[in-house]
């Protein structure tokens, strides 16, 4: 452990992946623990979270599980209380819960639209709402949102993801608002824009799609959940004490770079 997060308590929502492999939340929780943080793993499935907690503890880290649906206000309030009572404080909130659904404005169902908004935006707002008072009590904190290139770019050639793109863009505005509202209280809010990393969430797309996604990246390489987690460690640590209100693309240059015709 390098100790960049020594003495800090972190909440990671959506910590355990839904499938085999390492997801962004899992990698972030593991690296937070390796850097010395006490980590609260938040998941609807206690079984998956307990498996991750065991892995962290086997490495010598500290982790506890909170099972609940963070789309519900009472669960978010209980989650923040649990973290503060278990470890005495709360310093970091990593808002990692998110789902997608296909559809253009013409084809997306209203049920899918509401489901995606609830899973990505409502969970983030509620977790932030109830964690901020705990951070205030400890003198400050770091709140990290997890967005996507789908919220920063128009992705031509995809089957349509209007709900997902909308909520991810919404996280950018949410980040700015929280950063502005709490800048004088030493509570920072930043957002990671995730590129085309290979995680359990996209494993169903298959090898050909995986190769196409890789070739779109200016660096011509594929990202992993660990790339996202290293960025989260920076934003959670005191190294970024003067950083708030930013969107940090971790994407191999996809947002910033374009091929120039010659």
């Amino acid at each position: 452990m390098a100790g960049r997060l020594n003495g800090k308590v972190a909440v990671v929502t959506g910590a355990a992946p839904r499938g085999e492999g390492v997801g962004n939340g899992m990698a972030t929780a593991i690296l937070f623990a390796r850097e010395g943080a006490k980590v609260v793993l938040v998941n609807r499935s206690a079984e998956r979270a307990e498996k991750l907690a065991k892995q962290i503890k086997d490495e010598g880290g500290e982790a506890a599980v909170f099972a609940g649906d963070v789309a519900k206000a009472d669960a978010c309030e209980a989650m923040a209380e649990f973290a503060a009572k278990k470890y005495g404080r709360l310093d970091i909130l990593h808002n990692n819960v998110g789902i997608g659904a296909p559809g253009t404005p013409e084809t997306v169902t209203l049920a899918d639209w509401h489901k995606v908004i609830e899973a990505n935006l409502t969970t983030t707002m509620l977790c932030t709402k109830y964690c901020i008072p705990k951070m205030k009590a400890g003198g400050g904190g770091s709140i990290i949102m997890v967005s996507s290139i789908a919220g920063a770019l128009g992705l031509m050639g995809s089957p349509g993801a209007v709900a997902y793109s909308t909520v991810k863009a919404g996280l950018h505005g949410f980040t700015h608002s929280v950063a502005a509202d709490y800048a004088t209280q030493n509570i920072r809010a930043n957002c990671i824009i995730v590129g085309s990393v290979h995680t359990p969430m996209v494993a169903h797309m298959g090898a050909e799609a995986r190769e196409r996604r890789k070739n779109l990246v200016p660096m011509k390489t594929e990202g992993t959940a660990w790339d996202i987690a290293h960025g989260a460690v920076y934003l959670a640590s005191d190294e970024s004490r003067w950083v708030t209100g930013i969107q940090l693309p971790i994407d191999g240059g996809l947002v910033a770079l374009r091929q120039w015709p010659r």
Side-chain angles (χ1 to χ4, degrees), residues 124-184:
T124 297
M125 185 278 291
L126 287 173
C127 289
T128 302
K129 176 184 181 71
Y130 289 107
C131 286
I132 280 177
K134 308 303 180 186
M135 292 180 175
K136 284 182 179 178
S142 173
I143 301 170
I144 303 167
M145 269 53 77
V146 179
S147 180
S148 164
I149 55 170
L153 300 171
L155 301 179
M156 294 176 66
S158 77
V162 66
Y164 186 72
S165 295
T166 299
V167 294
K168 290 305 186 183
L171 288 174
H172 303 171
F174 183 83
T175 299
H176 287 147
S177 182
V178 174
D181 288 339
Y182 296 94
T184 60

Side-chain angles (χ1 to χ4, degrees), residues 17-34:
R18 291 189 286 267
E20 293 299 318
V22 179
N24 294 329
M26 177 180 178
T28 297
I30 290 171
L31 287 195
F32 279 2
R34 287 178 183 172

Side-chain angles (χ1 to χ4, degrees), residues 7-211:
K8 296 186 184 294
V9 175
V11 166
V12 178
T13 67
R18 291 189 286 267
E20 293 299 318
V22 179
N24 294 329
M26 177 180 178
T28 297
I30 290 171
L31 287 195
F32 279 2
R34 287 178 183 172
E35 293 292 344
K38 298 177 175 67
V39 186
V40 176
L41 308 172
V42 181
N43 236 70
R44 284 191 296 182
S45 167
E47 182 181 356
R48 291 200 304 269
E50 290 288 358
K51 182 179 178 182
L52 177 55
K54 181 180 185 304
Q55 181 177 342
I56 289 172
K57 291 174 182 177
D58 287 347
E59 289 188 355
E62 175 62 37
V65 170
F66 179 87
D69 181 359
V70 291
K72 311 299 182 187
D74 56 351
C76 293
E77 185 174 18
M79 173 199 74
E81 288 289 338
F82 174 83
K85 287 182 179 178
K86 176 73 175 176
Y87 293 123
R89 58 185 298 117
L90 178 53
D91 306 282
I92 301 158
L93 170 62
H94 187 74
N95 283 304
N96 183 67
V97 172
I99 62 169
T104 67
E106 293 179 286
T107 62
V108 68
T109 68
L110 194 57
D112 278 347
W113 176 263
H114 287 310
K115 180 175 69 175
V116 173
I117 288 175
E118 181 181 72
N120 291 269
L121 280 178
T122 304
T123 61
T124 297
M125 185 278 291
L126 287 173
C127 289
T128 302
K129 176 184 181 71
Y130 289 107
C131 286
I132 280 177
K134 308 303 180 186
M135 292 180 175
K136 284 182 179 178
S142 173
I143 301 170
I144 303 167
M145 269 53 77
V146 179
S147 180
S148 164
I149 55 170
L153 300 171
L155 301 179
M156 294 176 66
S158 77
V162 66
Y164 186 72
S165 295
T166 299
V167 294
K168 290 305 186 183
L171 288 174
H172 303 171
F174 183 83
T175 299
H176 287 147
S177 182
V178 174
D181 288 339
Y182 296 94
T184 60
Q185 298 176 66
N186 196 34
I187 294 175
R188 301 179 295 107
N190 294 292
C191 183
I192 294 174
I193 299 177
V194 177
S196 53
V197 300
H198 187 68
T199 66
M201 186 175 178
V202 298
H204 69 279
M205 296 175 66
E208 288 186 14
R210 185 176 178 182
E211 188 67 18

